[in-house]
């Protein structure tokens, strides 16, 4: 039991005795605060219960509040998603990403129509000059490299960039490779009864060349459960410097684990056409990325928006959570300006 308190009446009489003449002044605040007050066991229990509830509420808020990683988009997919992925264990042995960036959308169905411009969704500048033949050469060369390396995964990359099409660049390239019987497969084991697994897939969200590379790395992880140890890009020769000097460096990917295979178009007037194409690449591709390394400001951002008429967005925040901060990296002036390279940890930091 608590000690018996002094009654309010006694406190009041004592207060009056301290002031001659019967003045109705009370004791100082300090004296009142130090005086024992009446309290019951019930009141004490109520106060204790309130303190416990308050503590529990604060603990619940603390542990349920989103942490810094969640705020940055770093989170794993729910178990219910992973349980629907029947990933062949052989895919875990793949370590070589072979990527083909898309440039147009093939809408044909037969192999014979692959060089028919009317069977492609093209920009005006892409007509003529042997560009369609170059697209197919990219596909065929990458597929050949993949067939020769059993530890590789072929990834066609490119989003649904054209309002006139209901498919993506990547899916159209994959379809053309399929009808051409070019797609590599996983070598079946003697005890395996599962259907043939392709060593080829699509990356359906990239809106520019930087995203072609970054998103294909994420798609590789989504498809195999691991990150690649090597990357080979098959594309235009004129874009070699953009990928090897700028995009690779933006990802801080080691140069010793990166290769580029360049194949340009064979136009009738190759000299003039090649010079015009190289100048276009310099002014519209290479130079803009030297000033905006991650393509997330000004002109390059506007291009991404223009190439996303169907409002698509990727799933890689959950399937490749280690890259979440890199996806979000868009350096401001306070972070070093538009050429500041992402400084955070990356899964391939230990590669040399």
């Amino acid at each position: 039991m608590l000690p018996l308190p002094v009654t309010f009446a006694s406190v009041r009489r004592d207060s009056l005795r301290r002031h001659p003449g019967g003045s109705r002044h009370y004791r100082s605040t300090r004296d009142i605060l130090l005086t024992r007050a009446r309290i019951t066991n019930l009141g004490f229990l109520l106060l204790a219960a309130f303190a416990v509830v308050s503590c529990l509420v604060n603990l619940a808020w603390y542990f349920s509040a989103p942490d810094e990683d969640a705020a940055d988009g770093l989170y794993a997919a729910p178990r219910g998603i992973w349980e629907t992925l029947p990933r062949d264990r052989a895919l875990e042995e793949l370590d070589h990403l072979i990527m083909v960036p898309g440039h147009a959308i093939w809408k044909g169905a037969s192999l014979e129509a692959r060089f028919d411009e009317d069977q492609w969704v093209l920009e005006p500048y892409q007509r003529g000059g042997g560009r369609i033949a170059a697209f197919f050469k990219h596909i065929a060369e990458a597929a050949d490299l993949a067939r020769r390396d059993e530890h590789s995964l072929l990834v066609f990359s490119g989003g649904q960039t054209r309002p006139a099409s209901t498919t993506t660049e990547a899916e159209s390239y994959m379809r053309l490779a399929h009808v051409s019987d070019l797609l590599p497969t996983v070598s079946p084991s003697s005890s395996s009864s599962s259907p043939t697994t392709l060593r080829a897939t699509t990356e359906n969200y990239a809106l520019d060349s930087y995203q072609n590379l970054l998103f294909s790395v994420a798609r590789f992880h989504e498809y195999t459960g691991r990150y690649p140890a090597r990357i080979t890009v098959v594309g235009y020769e004129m874009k070699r410097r953009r990928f090897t000097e700028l995009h690779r460096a933006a990802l801080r990917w080691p140069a010793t684990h990166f290769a580029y295979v360049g194949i340009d178009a064979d136009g009738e007037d190759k000299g003039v056409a090649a010079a015009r194409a190289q100048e276009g690449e310099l002014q519209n591709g290479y130079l803009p990325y030297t000033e905006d390394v991650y393509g997330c400001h000004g002109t390059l951002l506007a291009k991404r928006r223009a190439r996303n008429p169907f409002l698509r967005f990727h799933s890689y925040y959950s399937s490749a959570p280690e890259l979440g901060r890199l996806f979000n990296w868009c350096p401001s002036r306070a972070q070093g300006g538009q050429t500041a390279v992402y400084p955070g940890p990356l899964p391939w930091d230990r590669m040399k």
Side-chain angles (χ1 to χ4, degrees):
M1 294 293 292
L2 293 173
L4 292 174
V6 178
T7 65
F8 179 77
S10 64
V11 172
R12 184 168 182 270
R13 286 194 302 270
D14 184 62
S15 176
L16 291 174
R17 281 196 294 269
R18 290 172 179 261
H19 299 276
S23 174
R24 300 182 62 84
H25 291 286
Y26 294 95
R27 291 184 300 170
S28 67
T29 303
R30 178 178 177 276
D31 291 335
I32 294 175
L33 291 176
L34 293 178
T35 301
R36 292 178 297 175
R38 183 181 298 278
I39 185 170
T40 64
N41 289 337
L42 176 60
F44 176 80
L45 291 175
L46 290 175
L47 289 174
F50 178 82
V52 171
V53 171
S54 177
C55 181
L56 292 176
V57 169
N58 279 279
L59 287 174
W61 176 86
Y62 177 84
F63 287 109
S64 65
D67 58 17
E68 182 181 355
D69 286 350
D72 280 346
L74 306 183
Y75 53 87
R79 177 181 176 183
I81 293 178
W82 293 121
E83 288 179 341
T84 66
L85 305 180
R87 182 183 290 128
D88 191 316
R89 289 189 175 181
L91 294 175
E92 298 176 1
E93 300 178 4
L94 306 184
D95 63 1
H96 183 191
L97 165 62
I98 300 177
M99 189 271 284
V100 180
H103 299 285
I105 296 177
W106 185 60
K107 56 184 181 180
S110 65
L111 181 60
E112 293 73 18
R114 67 187 184 280
F115 297 133
D116 184 354
E117 289 189 347
D118 292 335
Q119 297 300 310
W120 289 80
V121 181
L122 301 168
E123 298 290 350
Y125 72 87
Q126 293 178 314
R127 294 187 174 275
R131 291 180 182 269
I132 291 178
F135 299 160
F136 186 74
K137 288 180 180 179
H138 297 165
I139 295 171
E141 176 65 20
D144 183 58
L145 291 174
R147 287 195 303 273
R148 285 187 278 140
D149 182 359
E150 294 185 352
H151 294 282
S152 67
L153 176 68
L154 174 58
V155 177
F156 299 107
S157 174
Q160 191 176 356
T161 58
R162 311 297 171 89
S165 176
T166 58
T167 189
T168 68
E169 295 173 356
E171 288 170 346
S172 75
Y173 274 43
M174 181 93 162
R175 190 173 69 255
L176 180 52
H178 176 70
V179 300
S180 303
D181 196 23
L182 296 175
L183 296 177
T185 59
V186 173
S187 299
S189 62
S190 58
S191 59
S192 175
S193 59
S194 60
T196 301
T197 301
L198 289 175
R199 282 193 295 109
T201 187
T202 59
E203 187 292 302
N204 294 310
Y205 300 99
L207 303 173
D208 57 26
S209 54
Y210 169 70
Q211 290 187 348
N212 284 139
L213 184 58
L214 174 59
F215 288 3
S216 291
V217 173
R219 176 57 179 157
F220 187 100
H221 183 273
E222 189 173 66
Y223 196 76
T224 68
R226 60 174 295 178
Y227 288 100
R230 294 179 292 149
I231 297 176
T232 298
V233 177
V234 181
Y236 278 122
E237 174 61 33
M238 62 182 175
K239 294 188 177 183
R240 177 187 293 272
R241 292 181 62 203
R242 192 200 301 192
F243 276 93
T244 59
E245 297 177 11
L246 302 180
H247 298 336
R248 179 198 59 77
L251 269 60
R252 302 206 322 263
W253 189 272
T256 54
H257 294 255
F258 190 89
Y260 190 91
V261 178
I263 303 173
D264 278 342
D266 294 325
E268 294 181 358
D269 189 3
K270 186 175 180 180
V272 175
R276 187 184 302 116
Q278 290 173 0
E279 180 63 19
E281 159 60 16
L282 179 65
Q283 298 299 326
N284 301 316
Y286 186 85
L287 290 179
Y289 275 106
T290 62
E291 299 174 356
D292 182 8
V293 172
Y294 294 90
C296 55
H297 302 88
T299 301
L300 294 178
L301 175 58
K303 285 184 178 181
R304 287 180 182 171
R305 289 173 175 165
R307 292 171 180 169
N308 194 15
F310 296 96
L311 309 180
R312 302 286 187 182
F313 55 91
H314 62 78
S315 59
Y316 307 133
Y317 281 110
S318 55
S319 61
E322 300 85 355
L323 304 182
R325 287 195 177 96
L326 179 58
F327 293 142
N328 289 344
W329 181 250
C330 186
S332 62
R333 181 177 301 177
Q335 294 170 310
Q338 298 179 13
T339 61
V341 175
Y342 173 70
L346 291 169
W348 45 87
D349 281 341
R350 296 182 179 180
M351 291 195 303
K352 297 181 180 179

